[in-house]
Amino acid sequence: MTADRVTEALLALEDAQASTKIQGYNDLLDKILAQPDQLSSNLVAYVQSILGDSVGIVTSRPLLASFVDKLASLPDADIKVAVGTQAIDALAPKVVSFEEQDSALKLMLANSYEQNEDFTSSAKVLQQITLDSSQRHVTDDDKAKIWIRITRCYLEEDDPTNALSYLNRVKNVIYNVQDQPTKLQFQLSQARISDSQRNFLDASNSYLNLSLEPVIDEEERLQALSAAIVCAVLAPAGPKRARQLARLYKDDRTPQCDEFAILENIFLDRVLSPAEVKAFAEKLQPHQMAKTADGSTVLDKAVLEHNLLGVSRLYSNIPVTNLGSMLGVDADRAEAYAAQMIEQGRLSGYIDQIDALIHFSNETSNSEVAKTSGASVGTRELRMWDANVQGLTEEVERVTTMIQTTHPEFYELKMGA
């Protein structure tokens, strides 16, 4: 239909009796959608008409709901964005009377922006949805879905700061959320934000927990497990990472992951070769290859620290120059990394700067480090024994929790006895 004919039809409907308006507007909308010519301008004129003063609120609400449904069914995202944006502007002065329709319209517009991969615009539209209103009740599930979606949009745009602000809102209501997919999206968003902010140890733990969720497909669980391994490899070397590596290494599924070889070499304190590191680096995300303060990448630093720990298992002491050669860096940098790790309690030993020697200790002399690690950084056998004991206790706790959940009467009977 031409713009002139649409305008004439709208003027006629505005003056028509209330009993015929709804059917008349619906018929006109179908005719507009059937003609692709001037579709955007005709749809904008239509929505402005049904929101006009000549059409009452009682009539406007079902007409606007039908308009949003049919607009959402259009395949062209650009048309939906153009019409949806102007429809929201037209609705703004009356939004209090049309909150349900306004929310549906903004959700449709957000979908259209995401269809065009404009995730920032989608997030901004979703932020405008009214979630605290006296006109309608919004459940915690609905709030969490919107906030999680905003979080994911910002993560797609590599903006973890804004993503974290909305994830923190979800944390306030997540314990009341019943929708399982929303809970899983929350866990995934936590992992991705920690990953983006280079909190790799937290990210690895979140990805690992996600990989254990039985409701997720097997392929997606393996992807989460692979992400957990990658983040564990990139985490700073030390007792905390050693425990995480032990959890991953004893998982029966890890041999199915491409990253199992490097996981095994790191867990068994083998020095990593340049070729192995290069192959691993090719699979990393851009933020995981970001430069650190000293000009090296996160992976370079993680590998250097790991190799330094590996050397400490092989030697009681070593000249700083020889250590630098083994690590592929100059002597000053090798000494700086060793000093930093010793200071932070991630490496046991001391540096003799007069003789230019680094002395390693197989036992942890610092009591605080011993408390933190839960074991000494001793021999490989002791660490594997510790990992096995920890794994056994975790399995016992998991089975106990499953019994309590599945058979609470039996659990209470036995615990009471």
Side-chain angles (χ1 to χ4, degrees):
M1 297 180 69
T2 63
D4 292 340
R5 291 182 60 187
V6 170
T7 302
E8 291 175 3
L10 290 172
L11 290 173
L13 286 170
E14 289 173 5
D15 295 333
Q17 295 181 356
S19 59
T20 62
K21 280 187 178 181
I22 291 182
Q23 185 61 44
Y25 271 111
N26 284 330
D27 292 341
L28 178 59
L29 180 58
D30 291 336
K31 292 178 182 179
I32 292 174
L33 293 172
Q35 297 294 328
D37 295 336
Q38 299 179 312
L39 182 58
S40 295
S41 59
N42 288 341
L43 288 173
V44 170
Y46 177 88
V47 74
Q48 289 174 343
S49 177
I50 63 175
L51 292 174
D53 294 334
S54 60
V55 182
I57 293 177
V58 176
T59 303
S60 296
R61 282 175 178 165
L63 288 175
L64 185 58
S66 177
F67 170 80
V68 173
D69 290 340
K70 293 182 178 180
L71 180 62
S73 65
L74 294 177
D76 193 330
D78 292 331
I79 291 179
K80 289 188 286 187
V81 168
V83 176
T85 302
Q86 295 195 52
I88 288 174
D89 292 339
L91 189 58
K94 304 179 178 182
V95 68
V96 176
S97 302
F98 297 91
E99 286 190 357
E100 288 284 354
Q101 294 76 19
D102 178 70
S103 297
L105 186 58
K106 287 172 180 175
L107 286 171
M108 182 281 301
L109 184 57
N111 291 338
S112 303
Y113 277 126
E114 291 178 25
Q115 191 176 339
N116 285 339
E117 298 186 356
D118 186 357
F119 295 100
T120 299
S121 296
S122 176
K124 290 180 179 179
V125 170
L126 292 170
Q127 291 171 34
Q128 298 173 17
I129 295 177
T130 304
L131 298 179
D132 295 311
S133 170
S134 58
Q135 303 297 320
R136 66 190 184 108
H137 175 65
V138 182
T139 65
D140 287 339
D141 279 71
D142 293 333
K143 292 179 181 178
K145 287 178 182 178
I146 297 296
W147 290 333
I148 282 290
R149 189 169 171 184
I150 295 172
T151 300
R152 294 177 63 192
C153 285
Y154 279 124
L155 285 174
E156 291 296 332
E157 295 290 349
D158 197 20
D159 186 356
T161 303
N162 279 323
L164 181 60
S165 67
Y166 280 90
L167 189 73
N168 287 336
R169 298 189 186 190
V170 183
K171 289 180 181 178
N172 296 327
V173 300
I174 192 63
Y175 297 105
N176 298 325
V177 172
Q178 303 298 319
D179 186 61
Q180 187 64 24
T182 302
K183 292 182 178 180
L184 294 177
Q185 289 295 339
F186 173 74
Q187 294 182 46
L188 179 59
S189 297
Q190 276 189 313
R192 291 182 62 186
I193 289 175
S194 297
D195 191 351
S196 298
Q197 295 183 326
R198 302 185 205 170
N199 298 324
F200 292 118
L201 202 57
D202 292 339
S204 177
N205 188 58
S206 296
Y207 279 127
L208 179 57
N209 291 337
L210 194 63
S211 75
L212 297 174
E213 291 288 347
V215 296
I216 302 177
D217 292 338
E218 181 65 25
E219 183 178 353
E220 293 180 352
R221 280 190 283 171
L222 286 177
Q223 290 177 357
L225 184 61
S226 294
I229 296 173
V230 169
C231 289
V233 171
L234 295 174
K240 290 183 178 180
R241 187 182 77 154
R243 288 201 297 272
Q244 182 67 5
L245 290 172
R247 290 183 64 194
L248 292 167
Y249 185 70
K250 71 180 179 62
D251 195 306
D252 295 336
R253 303 168 298 162
T254 51
Q256 303 176 48
C257 300
D258 295 337
E259 299 81 7
F260 177 72
I262 194 169
L263 169 66
E264 184 175 45
N265 289 339
I266 291 177
F267 178 72
L268 298 178
D269 293 329
R270 297 169 182 165
V271 176
L272 302 176
S273 66
E276 187 176 11
V277 175
K278 181 180 179 181
F280 179 75
E282 292 175 352
K283 302 176 183 178
L284 298 181
Q285 300 294 323
H287 71 271
Q288 295 172 332
M289 292 297 293
K291 298 287 185 179
T292 58
D294 59 3
S296 62
T297 66
V298 175
L299 178 60
D300 292 336
K301 184 176 180 180
V303 170
L304 192 149
E305 290 183 350
H306 164 74
N307 286 343
L308 182 52
L309 279 178
V311 170
S312 73
R313 306 287 190 262
L314 298 174
Y315 298 93
S316 297
N317 57 69
I318 187 173
V320 174
T321 53
N322 292 0
L323 177 63
S325 299
M326 294 186 68
L327 298 179
V329 296
D330 57 64
D332 291 339
R333 189 174 176 188
E335 182 179 353
Y337 269 86
Q340 183 183 47
M341 293 179 67
I342 291 172
E343 180 184 7
Q344 295 174 350
R346 296 187 287 126
L347 178 67
S348 182
Y350 64 93
I351 300 176
D352 185 344
Q353 291 186 317
I354 297 177
D355 294 331
L357 286 173
I358 298 180
H359 296 267
F360 302 111
S361 172
N362 283 334
E363 299 297 330
T364 305
S365 58
N366 190 317
S367 60
E368 276 304 310
V369 176
K371 290 179 183 179
T372 303
S373 63
S376 68
V377 285
T379 62
R380 180 184 307 167
E381 290 77 9
L382 283 176
R383 291 188 302 107
M384 293 185 69
W385 172 268
D386 180 65
N388 289 335
V389 171
Q390 180 181 350
L392 178 60
T393 56
E394 289 176 353
E395 289 298 320
V396 171
E397 182 179 0
R398 186 174 68 85
V399 171
T400 303
T401 303
M402 291 175 63
I403 293 174
Q404 183 180 7
T405 303
T406 309
H407 305 287
E409 300 84 0
F410 174 80
Y411 179 83
E412 291 179 4
L413 178 64
K414 292 298 182 182
M415 290 301 292

